[in-house]
Amino acid sequence: MSSPMGESPSTTDGVRRSSNSFFGDVWVNFKRWNLKAVRNPFVLVVSLVQPIIFLVLFTQVFGQVATGAVNRGGSSISYETYLVPAICIQVALAAAATSGVGLVNDIENGMFEKVLVTPMNRTAVFVGKTAAEVLRIALQIAIIIGLGVLLGAEVATGFVGAIGIVLVGVLFSLWFTSLSNTLAVLTKDQESTIIGANLLQFPLLFVSTAFLPLNVLPDWIQTVAKYNPVTYGVDAARAIMLDADVMEVVQITQFDGLWNAVIPGVVVLVALDLVLGSIAVYMLRRASSSNVQ
């Protein structure tokens, strides 16, 4: 039976589908999560303050010692320049970790259940939420790059390179955003989601090439770093920052200069994004109003 307002939304096996397009559903969720972020700026500030503290303290306290380790091969790179790409990835990691917290808030206040009973496309719900968070992460990374330049860092590839670093950071954030949201659906608890994300966040940073070159790290950390996603994100961003091939975990010479680091880094991150993004969408699609209460 058609509704008095016109033709009813299509149905499949009795399940009502949204009369909006997929991109219409994405846009609705994109706006909702941006409004939610603006109304609760605390999460935005927290995910940015910690990386800023790392940037300032590491460059001011460990700068001289770390510069010697960074330039062991005879280069002359300031530690500020070396560290900024790592802090950009840390920002992406910290901001992505808070993504699941927002979803748990929705679960606890009943909003998620309301979304589940709407005819909106479940994939569009996740994509819209993620798009809003990607915008926030991109802005935060841009702030870190600007602060790094003020502290003395140099982006060898200029403004275009700075945009490239932002894009690498965003690409990196997607897999951890997916993981954080998956934890939220599984645990349905803020503390568990925060603990789970933070338990991964700091070990991933410190057993990678984020703060020191691979060749000066202990052997066991070098082994772990080769399988650590942070290494690939940091090396890709650092290659753009320095306009040089800095990747040591994978030796590729098919391309020119920095691309020998950027391309393998991007390939690894895209693969992670697709795998973990698919898992997150699957978890959201199989969620029902009964199992989120």
Side-chain angles (χ1 to χ4, degrees):
M1 180 182 295
S2 61
S3 67
M5 296 300 293
E7 192 173 319
S8 62
S10 61
T11 61
T12 303
D13 297 330
V15 179
R16 184 168 172 265
R17 301 301 180 193
S18 173
S19 58
N20 288 337
S21 67
F22 176 84
F23 292 105
D25 288 343
V26 169
W27 178 245
V28 168
N29 284 279
F30 176 77
K31 289 193 297 182
R32 185 174 84 82
W33 283 99
N34 275 318
L35 286 172
K36 190 172 181 178
V38 170
R39 290 169 181 168
N40 183 23
F42 177 75
V43 173
L44 305 180
V45 173
V46 168
S47 62
L48 186 59
V49 166
Q50 191 178 73
I52 288 176
I53 292 172
F54 267 62
L55 177 61
V56 174
L57 288 183
F58 269 62
T59 54
Q60 301 304 308
V61 176
F62 304 112
Q64 289 186 340
V65 175
T67 298
V70 168
N71 294 313
R72 182 175 290 185
S75 56
S76 56
I77 303 167
S78 71
Y79 193 56
E80 289 81 4
T81 300
Y82 185 85
L83 188 62
V84 163
I87 301 301
C88 289
I89 295 301
Q90 184 186 1
V91 165
L93 198 60
T98 66
S99 177
V101 178
L103 185 56
V104 171
N105 284 335
D106 265 17
I107 292 173
E108 290 178 343
N109 63 29
M111 187 64 195
F112 186 56
E113 185 180 1
K114 292 176 183 177
V115 171
L116 290 179
V117 299
T118 67
M120 283 194 292
N121 184 294
R122 299 283 175 84
T123 303
V125 171
F126 178 69
V127 171
K129 179 179 184 296
T130 302
E133 288 157 353
V134 160
L135 175 62
R136 168 167 57 95
I137 290 168
L139 291 173
Q140 290 179 320
I141 293 173
I143 290 170
I144 290 296
I145 294 173
L147 179 60
V149 170
L150 289 176
L151 290 173
E154 296 180 8
V155 184
T157 49
F159 181 73
V160 173
I163 294 175
I165 294 171
V166 172
L167 292 176
V168 169
V170 165
L171 188 65
F172 175 87
S173 72
L174 294 176
W175 74 270
F176 207 73
T177 296
S178 300
L179 179 61
S180 179
N181 281 275
T182 300
L183 286 174
V185 175
L186 288 172
T187 66
K188 310 173 191 68
D189 177 73
Q190 280 197 47
E191 290 183 359
S192 299
T193 302
I194 293 170
I195 290 171
N198 284 335
L199 277 177
L200 288 173
Q201 187 182 159
F202 285 103
L204 284 173
L205 278 170
F206 284 98
V207 291
S208 72
T209 56
F211 303 114
L212 289 170
L214 187 72
N215 57 19
V216 303
L217 297 173
D219 291 342
W220 72 270
I221 292 183
Q222 290 188 33
T223 301
V224 175
K226 292 177 182 178
Y227 303 97
N228 186 346
V230 172
T231 295
Y232 294 90
V234 168
D235 283 358
R238 187 169 285 147
I240 298 172
M241 188 83 176
L242 302 176
D243 193 14
D245 178 10
V246 298
M247 185 169 286
E248 298 177 85
V249 292
V250 177
Q251 298 295 325
I252 292 180
T253 58
Q254 289 94 324
F255 309 103
D256 292 328
L258 64 88
W259 297 107
N260 289 317
V262 173
I263 290 176
V266 167
V267 168
V268 169
L269 295 180
V270 168
L272 277 171
D273 293 344
L274 291 175
V275 171
L276 289 169
S278 297
I279 293 172
V281 170
Y282 170 76
M283 295 300 296
L284 286 172
R285 289 177 68 89
R286 71 185 292 272
S288 66
S289 59
S290 61
N291 64 24
V292 297
Q293 290 178 344

